[in-house]
Amino acid sequence: METRSLSPVFVGRTDELAELTGALARATAGDPQALLIGGEAGVGKTRLVEELLDTACTQEAVIAIGGCVEIGAEGLPFAPFSTALRSLRRRLPDELMAAAEGQEDELALILPELGQSPGGPLGEHGTARLFELTARLLERLAAGRTVVLVLEDLHWADASTRHLLAYLFRALRRGRLVVIATYRADDIHRRHPLRPLLAELDRLRSVQHIELSRFSRSEVRSQLTGILAAEPEPALLDEIFERSDGNAFFVEELACSIEAGCRAGLSDSLRDLLLVRVEALPEDSQQVVRTVAEGGTTIEYALLMAAVRLSEDDLIAALRAAVSANILVPTADGDGYRFRHSLVREAVSDDLLAGERSRLNRRLAEVLEADPSLVRADERTTRLASYWYNAHDVTKALPVILRASVEARRRSAHSEQLRLLERALELWDDAPEDVHGRLRPPDGTEVYPPSGGGRDEAPLSYLDLMAEATVAARYGGARERALAISKKAIRALEGRDDPLRAAWFWTQRSSLMQDLARGDGWAELATAQELVRGLPPSAVHADVLVNVASWGALHQPGPDTLLAADRAVQYARLVGAERIELHGRLVRGWLTADSGAVEEGLAEIREVRDLAEALGAVDVIGRASINLPSTLESMGRSEEAVAAAEHGIKVCHHRGLADKEAWTRANQAQSLFSLGRWPEADRVLDGAAGVAHSRKSRGLLAVRRAELALARGDLDASGSQLAQARGFFGTHDEQPQHEITMARLTMEIAARQGRLADARAEFVRIVADGFPVGTQRDALPLLCVAAAMEADALGLPGAGAGRDAVLATVRAQAKPLPTLVPVWHAYGLLCDAELARAHDEAAPMLWARAAAAFEAVNRPYELALVRHRWASALLDAHAARSDATALLVQAHETATALGARPLAEDIRRLAVRARITLTTAPEGSPVPAGATDPEADPATSLGLTPREQEVLRLVTFGRSNRRIAEELYISPKTASVHVSNILAKLGVSGRTEAAALAHRLRLYPEATDVAAV
């Protein structure tokens, strides 16, 4: 048994491993266990058993492993038992000899080292006795220790081994013994000798039967992460998952092959493994299998019969042999055949000689061309293109490949379209000129001006083909490839007087640079602007103008960009470029809503979305799917945003716009977070992770996860996600919508960890260039955090320096930001209230206004936060305790329901300090002592001893451990122990956080007075 697995990480198999470890536990308790583990070759049987054996070793179990050996149709007699007993003899020599005492010669039939086996056949009774002696031997060995016996590859077992195993499974009654047998399920055909035994053992309730399935996509991702020591890129994951079909061994082999540079092929070891059964077939069957391998994923019976040139009887016989060998299986509709595993087909195809492959594909192409009815109409062109391509007939292949690419585009199969177009690019130079002259006109190139000068029937040029491939790659998420093709096209245009086509490729390059976080794309757009300047009106010029407006909306939102968007729309309308006009209107609608004309802006975005879907304008559909929920969320209309995102997700999924779907899901998650539906947000983000391809979409998902983790109090997870987001976004394209949000999260994490200086530094950095109009949705929450962190730090030692500058900056930055929309107004009121708190003003009326504003826009988290602050302000102002109590109870219920742990803890601490009873306690978390006892002292209620309270008071004054020791007449080491205990009881990570908590709870008012001085 091979005990090395390529992946150091054990993936999945949670239920199966639980069954095995449960069996081990029962065996250790004295109840012997029998298990069968089945699964196809390479699915992970050995790895699962290895994991169990690791657990068994930690429990000091004795392990014995034996494998069946294939020799012809039958294996070696008792081979796995002989190997396993030999292992036990090495591990337990004295114990085994004692257990075999008196039966050495008979047991020598299985383990010759024990003695001289009797000659002649055993006969029926002798065999039964041998089986009984073997069972008793194992029971004796397992009487005082746990023994795990593993028998591998039972599908190769000889008859004697099968019979002995069946006997053991029925006869074992005592001992701490686990017997595990594994087999390849795909080798067990109807006449396989193991099949009756499996049926028999399935009827025994004492036998547990585990069938291993292939890995899911997420499990393959985890396996590759272990193999590569890094999370695989989505494209690599997709490729390996598709080619391996989730088979764990094939995943490992493919990962090794690709790492070794053999991306297109298989390793020799894998190919040899897969071809063994094929080469054992009759020659006619091998011929059929080779034809099926070249026929595609599946092949129709009629096409196969036309291609193989066998009589129907011979074909059926050949197919029967291949099906019986578990190489081919009938399709679900019963009309054709496919390989049982895709890699077997790949191995067979790779094993073909070059001329042999060409001949088979030519034959398939000829019969399909002669009778197109042999395959379904929706597959015909693509299949024919594949056959002619693999037949190496350029004259036939190039035209049909281009026809197939059009069909792929019409099905929104952009990745397939790109593959076909790249084949066309590959074949272009080898095709005769007369073939070029007969090619179809350009297709699906948006506003790109064809080389034929606008003539509808002008044939395709090589530059046109690169334009098609650029668009297909971009739509299919292959942005690196799209960028490479556009760069190649720009080089081809150097020195040519062709400004429109050059401007089009530069505009493509700008978008791709932004998507890939290689730059902000402005230099490329500026080049395109110069190229079209002074030229007659054209769709390309309109496209450049709209992209300039779109760039401005992302990087420099405001009135000037809104005017640029309006001009771009008018220009597009002038030249009749409908789809470009829609793009421009989308940008204009977004900016109009941000300017305060909310209904007008939203109406335009909705109209654009509906028109784009009706026209099939894929690029505009993707943008509208993202922008509408984002704009609705910006306006505080989160319920509408969730619904709009749901529509966008369905449309993007249907159109094959995977990355746009990920962006839309990320926006939906933000709205769900705002509505307090955090578990739903988690699920949406999990779904988005599976379809996000671009760096920016993955960065956005990380930002959303960071926000959730921060609200739940998991600062480590939040910081990790934030670091990932910064890595994905890079430093070349700093868009306000991302940068401001990441800065806010960075500030909040630092402030909660007591790193006020770091939080201030981040604030100074992000406000350096100011917050222009159009950034208010992100800027206002950040300013609220900046004011809040200063309010929380009020009175802390060393916090005074720099505080006034921060607060003055908050006021200055907030003043020009519009608050026309209710949610912006709510954040504006929150900012005012936090500024008052930062100046030690209770200001309950400010908090009351903020609470009313957030309640109106359905923001439960912010509302709970404001109610908590409002209650604190009422208590500080000596207002009615009943009002404060009601607010705290409401806030606590909301925070607990959301899972906002830090907020809930702050509320409970305030309740403790104010001696207010909270009727709702967080499920599963302890209620602080004193939370329901009006007479409890706040410090005592935190679980602090009198000595610890004295130490905390001195920590709050900023004393070192040595100073504390001097003042309390204790040793510095004892002072250090007290400080450590205090930090643990308060649930904080350092002295600064402990002092801040004591300050917030007003445990030592004199400390605040001293700090103020």
Side-chain angles (χ1 to χ4, degrees):
M1 174 177 172
E2 178 65 35
T3 57
R4 174 188 170 276
S5 289
L6 183 58
S7 173
V9 179
F10 181 70
V11 177
R13 312 297 188 210
T14 305
D15 294 339
E16 294 86 349
L17 184 60
E19 285 191 59
L20 292 177
T21 53
L24 179 64
R26 291 189 293 274
T28 302
D31 182 15
Q33 301 291 303
L35 301 104
L36 280 171
I37 302 177
E40 68 179 9
V43 80
K45 301 182 294 297
T46 297
R47 185 68 179 87
L48 175 63
V49 173
E50 285 177 0
E51 197 70 16
L52 173 72
L53 297 185
D54 287 344
T55 301
C57 285
T58 63
Q59 298 177 12
E60 299 183 346
V62 178
I63 296 166
I65 301 168
C68 300
V69 181
E70 183 187 31
I71 299 179
E74 285 284 314
L76 292 173
F78 300 121
F81 286 102
S82 300
T83 304
L85 289 175
R86 202 167 281 120
S87 175
L88 287 173
R89 185 170 180 264
R90 287 193 299 270
R91 294 283 305 278
L92 305 168
D94 296 335
E95 293 87 344
L96 188 136
M97 292 306 297
E101 186 177 2
Q103 290 89 37
E104 293 91 337
D105 290 343
E106 291 169 282
L107 288 170
L109 288 165
I110 296 179
L111 185 60
E113 293 89 335
L114 287 177
Q116 185 66 41
S117 61
L122 289 174
E124 182 181 348
H125 298 293
T127 301
R129 176 168 169 76
L130 175 62
F131 290 176
E132 176 63 19
L133 291 175
T134 305
R136 298 294 77 80
L137 173 70
L138 292 171
E139 285 185 350
R140 289 169 189 159
L141 285 172
R145 66 188 63 78
T146 302
V147 175
V148 180
L149 178 66
V150 180
L151 308 173
E152 288 259 289
D153 298 324
L154 200 59
H155 50 280
W156 287 334
D158 60 287
S160 298
T161 296
R162 295 194 300 271
H163 296 157
L164 175 53
L165 181 66
Y167 183 89
L168 283 178
F169 276 7
R170 284 192 294 268
L172 290 174
R173 295 289 181 269
R174 298 181 302 277
R176 296 161 58 181
L177 179 66
V178 181
V179 181
I180 301 172
T182 70
Y183 67 94
R184 289 184 185 171
D186 51 337
D187 275 0
I188 312 303
H189 52 75
R190 276 185 294 177
R191 296 183 181 178
H192 195 287
L194 185 61
R195 194 181 184 98
L197 174 61
L198 294 176
E200 177 185 348
L201 295 178
D202 274 342
R203 291 191 289 269
L204 297 177
R205 281 190 282 181
S206 59
V207 178
Q208 298 177 62
H209 198 161
I210 299 173
E211 283 284 346
L212 299 187
S213 59
R214 298 172 182 175
F215 281 158
S216 66
R217 187 179 186 280
S218 62
E219 290 168 332
V220 170
R221 181 195 294 116
S222 299
Q223 185 185 5
L224 286 172
T225 300
I227 294 170
L228 304 174
E231 186 167 345
E233 290 295 323
L236 177 63
L237 171 60
D238 290 341
E239 177 186 354
I240 290 183
F241 180 66
E242 180 180 353
R243 294 178 68 195
S244 69
D245 284 352
N247 182 289
F249 172 64
F250 295 163
V251 170
E252 293 180 349
E253 288 290 335
L254 286 168
C256 288
S257 296
I258 289 171
E259 279 202 312
C262 302
R263 180 175 291 273
L266 304 173
S267 65
D268 291 339
S269 60
L270 180 54
R271 186 181 296 108
D272 292 343
L273 169 68
L274 297 173
L275 290 177
V276 168
R277 281 183 291 162
V278 175
E279 292 169 349
L281 293 174
E283 184 55 41
D284 281 353
S285 295
Q286 290 190 45
Q287 178 188 347
V288 169
V289 166
R290 294 186 193 107
T291 304
V292 174
E294 293 303 298
T297 305
T298 64
I299 189 168
E300 296 76 3
Y301 176 75
L303 177 60
L304 184 60
M305 187 167 65
V308 296
R309 294 174 176 164
L310 292 175
S311 69
E312 188 163 11
D313 288 344
D314 289 343
L315 174 60
I316 290 172
L319 284 168
R320 186 177 298 279
V323 170
S324 297
N326 275 322
I327 294 168
L328 299 180
V329 293
T331 55
D333 59 10
D335 190 41
Y337 293 87
R338 64 174 178 84
F339 278 84
R340 182 178 181 86
H341 198 289
S342 59
L343 279 186
V344 180
R345 178 173 70 86
E346 195 171 334
V348 172
S349 182
D350 283 355
D351 195 51
L352 293 172
L353 299 174
E356 187 179 17
R357 177 179 292 107
S358 297
R359 181 181 60 79
L360 284 172
N361 278 278
R362 176 173 292 278
R363 177 63 182 163
L364 287 163
E366 288 172 346
V367 297
L368 179 56
E369 202 170 61
D371 184 2
S373 66
L374 292 173
V375 303
R376 287 168 41 184
D378 59 339
E379 298 180 7
R380 191 175 298 143
T381 308
T382 302
R383 296 268 291 275
L384 192 58
S386 176
Y387 297 154
W388 281 125
Y389 175 80
N390 289 310
H392 304 295
D393 189 324
V394 177
T395 301
K396 290 277 193 177
L398 184 56
V400 73
I401 284 172
L402 290 172
R403 291 202 307 271
S405 73
V406 174
E407 292 185 8
R409 182 189 64 79
R410 290 173 180 169
R411 295 195 306 270
S412 298
H414 302 296
S415 296
E416 176 67 9
Q417 179 195 6
L418 175 61
R419 186 181 66 83
L420 289 162
L421 292 172
E422 293 204 296
R423 283 189 171 182
L425 289 168
E426 172 195 336
L427 299 177
W428 188 269
D429 289 339
D430 295 330
E433 282 302 320
D434 65 318
V435 172
H436 290 165
R438 298 194 305 269
L439 295 177
R440 63 159 175 77
D443 171 77
T445 51
E446 299 175 332
V447 299
Y448 168 83
S451 299
R455 292 181 291 113
D456 290 342
E457 299 305 318
L460 194 72
S461 72
Y462 189 76
L463 196 65
D464 300 339
L465 192 54
M466 285 195 285
E468 284 191 33
T470 299
V471 175
R474 198 181 79 233
Y475 284 177
R479 288 173 175 78
E480 291 283 3
R481 185 61 187 139
L483 183 61
I485 296 169
S486 65
K487 286 181 177 179
K488 183 178 179 181
I490 289 170
R491 285 196 300 270
L493 284 162
E494 288 177 359
R496 292 172 55 177
D497 184 17
D498 202 346
L500 284 182
R501 271 172 281 281
W504 185 87
F505 278 110
W506 277 108
T507 304
Q508 296 293 309
R509 188 168 169 179
S510 171
S511 298
L512 293 164
M513 292 291 285
Q514 293 175 69
D515 289 342
L516 293 167
R518 301 280 184 82
D520 64 7
W522 178 248
E524 290 79 8
L525 272 181
T527 301
Q529 275 190 302
E530 283 302 313
L531 285 166
V532 298
R533 194 183 304 278
L535 295 180
S538 67
V540 172
H541 196 161
D543 190 42
V544 171
L545 291 177
V546 167
N547 275 280
V548 168
S550 180
W551 187 94
L554 292 172
H555 298 84
Q556 298 170 358
D560 292 342
T561 302
L562 178 56
L563 286 174
D566 191 58
R567 285 196 299 268
V569 170
Q570 300 305 324
Y571 194 97
R573 191 170 293 161
L574 172 68
V575 299
E578 186 175 17
R579 297 190 181 202
I580 298 175
E581 180 189 342
L582 289 177
H583 182 190
R585 289 184 60 194
L586 190 63
V587 175
R588 186 173 67 182
W590 164 19
L591 292 169
T592 299
D594 272 350
S595 72
V598 177
E599 295 306 328
E600 180 185 346
L602 289 173
E604 182 153 41
I605 296 173
R606 287 193 175 98
E607 185 179 350
V608 168
R609 180 193 67 179
D610 295 343
L611 286 170
E613 290 177 14
L615 289 171
V618 177
D619 209 19
V620 181
I621 289 171
R623 290 189 179 101
S625 297
I626 296 167
N627 289 352
L628 179 56
S630 176
T631 304
L632 285 165
E633 174 63 23
S634 175
M635 304 303 134
R637 293 157 68 161
S638 300
E639 291 284 3
E640 293 178 61
V642 170
E646 193 63 36
H647 174 86
I649 290 166
K650 291 177 182 176
V651 171
C652 289
H653 186 76
H654 175 71
R655 296 277 182 175
L657 304 173
D659 206 54
K660 295 292 193 291
E661 179 185 341
W663 276 87
T664 309
R665 287 181 179 273
N667 286 342
Q668 187 181 52
Q670 183 183 27
S671 298
L672 290 168
F673 175 83
S674 296
L675 294 168
R677 292 155 61 179
W678 295 359
E680 290 181 66
D682 288 329
R683 290 192 291 272
V684 168
L685 291 173
D686 289 342
V691 293
H693 296 310
S694 70
R695 296 182 64 83
K696 287 190 176 178
S697 64
R698 293 157 74 185
L700 187 61
L701 297 183
V703 169
R704 300 289 185 258
R705 292 191 192 280
E707 183 101 60
L708 279 161
L710 180 60
R712 287 166 170 156
D714 192 341
L715 299 186
D716 290 341
S718 185
S720 174
Q721 290 292 334
L722 191 55
Q724 289 184 43
R726 291 194 183 280
F728 283 129
F729 286 126
T731 58
H732 302 296
D733 185 18
E734 296 181 346
Q735 297 179 14
Q737 61 175 333
H738 305 313
E739 288 299 309
I740 296 173
T741 300
M742 290 191 293
R744 171 172 59 82
L745 296 174
T746 300
M747 290 163 52
E748 199 163 353
I749 291 170
R752 288 197 193 178
Q753 292 175 337
R755 297 183 291 109
L756 182 60
D758 292 341
R760 285 173 171 173
E762 181 66 8
F763 176 69
V764 170
R765 183 193 70 81
I766 198 64
V767 300
D769 296 326
F771 298 129
V773 175
T775 61
Q776 59 270 14
R777 68 174 291 182
D778 303 306
L780 285 167
L782 179 139
L783 295 173
C784 290
V785 168
M789 72 186 190
E790 294 299 337
D792 289 340
L794 182 65
L796 286 179
R803 181 170 160 277
D804 290 342
V806 171
L807 295 177
T809 302
V810 170
R811 279 201 181 84
Q813 293 291 333
K815 187 174 182 179
L817 292 178
T819 56
L820 304 173
V821 175
V823 71
W824 305 344
H825 180 61
Y827 277 110
L829 292 174
L830 174 58
C831 188
D832 291 341
E834 289 289 12
L835 285 169
R837 187 167 72 93
H839 287 96
D840 206 17
E841 298 172 14
M845 284 306 298
L846 291 179
W847 291 110
R849 291 172 189 157
F854 277 114
E855 189 169 16
V857 294
N858 193 13
R859 289 289 192 275
Y861 177 68
E862 288 84 350
L863 180 58
L865 174 68
V866 169
R867 283 172 171 166
H868 165 236
R869 300 269 198 260
W870 185 8
S872 180
L874 289 172
L875 292 169
D876 290 343
H878 304 291
R881 287 176 57 85
S882 59
D883 292 342
T885 300
L887 288 169
L888 285 178
V889 168
Q890 287 176 319
H892 187 255
E893 287 177 349
T894 300
T896 303
L898 290 173
R901 184 173 56 81
L903 178 56
E905 289 176 352
D906 284 347
I907 294 166
R908 291 198 295 275
R909 289 181 184 125
L910 178 59
V912 167
R913 178 170 65 86
R915 296 179 175 85
I916 288 174
T917 300
L918 296 176
T919 56
T920 303
E923 185 177 345
S925 62
V927 178
T932 57
D933 180 5
E935 301 304 319
D937 176 68
T940 304
S941 70
L942 293 171
L944 300 180
T945 65
R947 174 63 84 184
E948 287 169 347
Q949 292 179 41
E950 292 177 334
V951 172
L952 178 58
R953 182 177 63 83
L954 294 174
V955 167
T956 306
F957 278 107
R959 303 289 196 269
S960 67
N961 285 349
R962 182 172 296 279
R963 287 287 306 278
I964 292 171
E966 290 173 356
E967 292 192 28
L968 298 181
Y969 302 101
I970 58 178
S971 70
K973 184 175 181 180
T974 301
S976 176
V977 171
H978 282 311
V979 170
S980 297
N981 289 339
I982 290 167
L983 299 182
K985 290 181 179 182
L986 297 183
V988 296
S989 60
R991 301 166 72 98
T992 303
E993 284 189 66
L997 177 60
H999 165 69
R1000 285 201 301 272
L1001 296 182
R1002 308 290 176 88
L1003 297 181
Y1004 310 108
E1006 70 274 19
T1008 299
D1009 298 336
V1010 170
V1013 173

